[in-house]
Amino acid sequence: MRAPSYASLDDALEILAPYGIALKNGNSNHAPMVAEALCALGRPDAVAPWVARYRERMLPRPEAGARIRREDWHGALGDRSRFADWSAFFAEELQEAPWREALDRWGERLAPGFCAAATHGVIRVGHAVRSLTAHETPHRLRELADAFASWAATYQELPTSDRETNGSMAPRQAITRVPIVPVDCRKSGGNITAALALLGDLPEFAPSIGLIDTGGDLTSLVAELTEVFTRIYLANAHDIRTTIAFIHGVTSPAALGNIAPQVSDRTARMAIRYAWQAGCGLYACFGGATPTAEDFEGSDADEDELVERAIAHGDEHVIKFTEVCLHRRALVRSPVYIAAADHVTSMIPRR
């Protein structure tokens, strides 16, 4: 696989700057994230053609309205109509402090809303952070402001108990203790955010956040989460809806893997708890009787083949998921990642 190259990222971010966080169909705008993922895959040449095709699906960026003030920012959380206001707020934050300082402060504040917009907020922040660690530019700082704004404007918390309690189990063991929403109580349609709202009617879900031990090595914890949720993907992704849901169960802790080295230990460990909770929420709402794939069909596809296949496929989820699987495999040589990247192209229609 090619080395990362960010040669085309700033040009893409300039093109994407006039657009907001939603697509015409109401789903989240993935364009800045895909542009960064293609650069991370070493395919900056693929960014402009992909963005050109995707632009027709995006909505214009809304005009900013009332200013969000530091003393009452809580009141604007979760208000999608205030994305532009949040973007202006975070642009000021990033002008007044180094981006890592702002990341630490706001990563801690927004962590309880890790599941916001089906985790798209934190995923977008993770992509922006990785691009900034490669090279700091005004375009990438603006993208970090927009990424934070996406997280804040879609903020959503899941039912939580034992907020400060540290568990004793590893993720692979703990996932078997997570209750699932009965199939006859699930909504047959609607988006992931609406499905997660059902957890308010499942009181036994709330303690899930306190099941895992978050006291170990941070890098190892992120690796455990991404592998476990990739195994959940392989066991439970059986149609388009469940495939997209469980993709986010993998890409969101992977995004945390980009964020954690740039923030304090306290912020990273808090975020890991909520990353685990968000993944549990997706499993509870979309999973089946078998939490994780222990035996699965392997794949002999090589990495370059998977990258080319994802780019030719064109779907934003396929590209981002393939990049995450290959990135995590470079860190931990688990066969689940090649199997998952090979699987996803058959589950989502081509663009």
Side-chain angles (χ1 to χ4, degrees):
M1 196 169 72
R2 303 182 191 182
S5 172
Y6 287 85
S8 62
L9 182 60
D10 287 355
D11 288 342
L13 294 178
E14 181 66 26
I15 292 169
L16 296 172
Y19 296 95
I21 57 172
L23 300 177
K24 293 176 182 177
N25 64 4
N27 292 335
S28 295
N29 175 10
H30 289 70
M33 298 178 272
V34 173
E36 194 280 335
L38 287 168
C39 290
L41 287 168
R43 292 300 307 271
D45 58 298
V47 172
W50 188 89
V51 167
R53 293 191 299 272
Y54 195 77
R55 282 177 72 182
E56 66 181 28
R57 300 167 58 192
M58 296 189 290
L59 289 172
R61 184 187 195 91
E63 295 291 331
R67 186 172 184 270
I68 296 173
R69 297 179 298 177
R70 286 179 177 171
E71 59 269 25
D72 59 4
W73 58 268
H74 290 88
L77 283 177
D79 188 343
R80 288 174 176 263
S81 70
R82 302 202 67 184
F83 164 70
D85 300 336
W86 275 113
S87 181
F89 174 86
F90 284 115
E92 291 182 6
E93 291 283 289
L94 292 168
Q95 286 176 354
E96 296 180 14
W99 67 264
R100 287 180 175 87
E101 181 180 321
L103 178 67
D104 188 56
R105 179 167 59 253
W106 286 97
E108 180 179 1
R109 289 175 176 177
L110 296 176
F114 198 95
C115 73
T119 72
H120 284 119
V122 70
I123 292 170
R124 186 167 176 178
V125 169
H127 282 285
V129 165
R130 184 167 59 179
S131 74
L132 282 164
T133 60
H135 188 58
E136 184 175 323
T137 71
H139 291 87
R140 299 178 201 187
L141 286 170
R142 183 177 62 194
E143 169 55 19
L144 180 58
D146 280 354
F148 270 132
S150 172
W151 193 350
T154 60
Y155 187 88
Q156 176 188 10
E157 293 187 15
L158 298 180
T160 303
S161 63
D162 299 324
R163 191 177 291 267
E164 300 297 333
T165 301
N166 189 48
S168 59
M169 289 184 277
R172 200 160 173 177
Q173 175 191 11
I175 196 64
T176 64
R177 308 291 184 90
V178 176
I180 63 174
V181 176
V183 173
D184 59 355
C185 295
R186 300 180 185 183
K187 294 181 179 180
S188 58
N191 59 25
I192 295 172
T193 300
L196 290 173
L198 296 174
L199 295 173
D201 298 322
L202 187 70
E204 54 266 49
F205 174 79
S208 299
I209 191 172
L211 291 175
I212 64 168
D213 179 6
T214 60
D217 176 71
L218 284 168
T219 300
S220 298
L221 279 169
V222 172
E224 287 182 66
L225 288 188
T226 53
E227 179 166 355
V228 165
F229 286 117
T230 304
R231 289 179 179 274
I232 290 173
Y233 166 88
L234 287 171
N236 292 277
H238 56 79
D239 57 21
I240 296 174
R241 193 163 185 251
T242 53
T243 296
I244 291 176
F246 290 116
I247 281 174
H248 294 98
V250 179
T251 54
S252 55
L256 180 56
N258 296 334
I259 295 168
Q262 312 302 327
V263 297
S264 66
D265 184 81
R266 170 186 167 82
T267 297
R269 290 188 191 280
M270 177 185 289
I272 281 176
R273 285 170 58 80
Y274 288 105
W276 159 253
Q277 182 198 42
C280 290
L282 293 169
Y283 172 64
C285 292
F286 295 94
T290 303
T292 64
E294 302 303 322
D295 297 314
F296 54 87
E297 186 175 347
S299 170
D300 58 2
D302 65 34
E303 294 183 354
D304 289 333
E305 176 187 350
L306 290 170
V307 172
E308 294 304 323
R309 190 190 304 175
I311 292 171
H313 187 285
D315 180 81
E316 57 266 49
H317 298 96
V318 170
I319 293 171
K320 291 188 333 87
F321 188 59
T322 298
E323 186 276 315
V324 162
C325 287
L326 296 184
H327 176 69
R328 297 311 306 179
R329 183 176 183 267
L331 301 173
V332 178
R333 303 291 287 187
S334 171
V336 300
Y337 294 119
I338 294 295
D342 192 19
H343 176 269
V344 72
T345 53
S346 64
M347 300 303 296
I348 297 177
R350 291 171 65 102
R351 288 289 180 188

